[in-house]
Amino acid sequence: MKVAKEWRLGSMGDTKILPGSRHRSPLKRPIWIILMVSFVSLFLVCAYIYPPNSDVACYVFSSRGCKVLTDWLPPPKRELTDEEIISRVVVRDILDTPPVESKNPKIAFMFLTPGSLPFEKLWDMFFRGNEGRFSVYIHASKEKPVHVSPYFLNREIHSSPVTWGAFSMVDAERRLLAYALKDPDNQHFVLLSDSFVDPGPHGNGRYSTRMLPEVEEKDFRKGAQWFTMRRQHALLVMADSLYYSRFRDYCRPFADGKNCIADEHYLPTFFNLVDPGGIANWSVTRVDWSERKWHPKSYRAQDVTYDLLRNFTSIDMTTHITSNAGGEELLQPCIWNGTRRPCYLFARKFYPETLDKLVTLLNF
């Protein structure tokens, strides 16, 4: 069998020269172009690894200084601190460990309250018929609650004083999680929070550079205090000391001239850093901020109707109005396991006077 030979222009040896062409000597390589490209490449690599430290060096090639180069090149990776390395090892091990299967999985409902719960009767209706599928934990920061439901009797945990806006709110949340984690059957935890970027003064405007290098402004998040999380995430909160200490020390009311509220920023930022793909980024608690005041809309008895409650359960887009000038409206669909579904399981704020009407409507 004959083997077809290659036809190439200007080649010799076993190959054939195309008919009609004349033999030419190999083209001379453009050595000066290769040298110039090599020099420029070497310069860029050296500038990236050893950035110029003086203004004179910055202006050798550009009157605009070093900014041109630093804008074009990717930022060099900084060396992690010892605390960050320890934190990442712990986070990785917790997330990589398969959750322990429970024969009787439960939801832990954690109540953060100064005293008695004005809607305990309503919760009693909610829990009725689901015995053995939930646990109740109460952190009463001011006085011992008076209960009207058997589901809440003797469910208080050791509590400490809590001040609105202070870091004591975060400590109370962690204390509730710790008590709830003692029961291995508790697989989900509800503090009856969403995470989003808010460029306004009450969002990223609260960020402090003192949190560097572990917490950068691009990672700073804001969310409602009320949250739901799975057991692995609750364990991460218990194990965290790095980000906990940064927010304890530098996220305080009126610190550095900023009104940073730790319970609105610590957990959203923490999970955005350690497991961004494992969070939903919206709240399961419906809150109406349309009035654009310091506090959300509160419902009176005359506001509570069947249509209002039905509307809460049909919303499948979460809305957040940023705190910057003009208030940008951020919309996000609520996706559950790949399917767009209603967002909310709970709602607030309701005045105590609405209790009887809510009971009547829910009994309807």
Side-chain angles (χ1 to χ4, degrees), residues 113-127:
T113 176
S116 298
L117 294 162
F119 292 99
E120 189 171 307
K121 183 178 178 181
L122 198 64
W123 282 107
D124 181 270
M125 294 175 56
F126 179 78
F127 290 140

Side-chain angles (χ1 to χ4, degrees), residues 51-67:
N53 294 320
S54 66
D55 292 339
V56 175
C58 289
Y59 281 87
V60 170
F61 288 94
S62 171
S63 61
R64 293 172 60 194
C66 296
K67 191 175 188 304

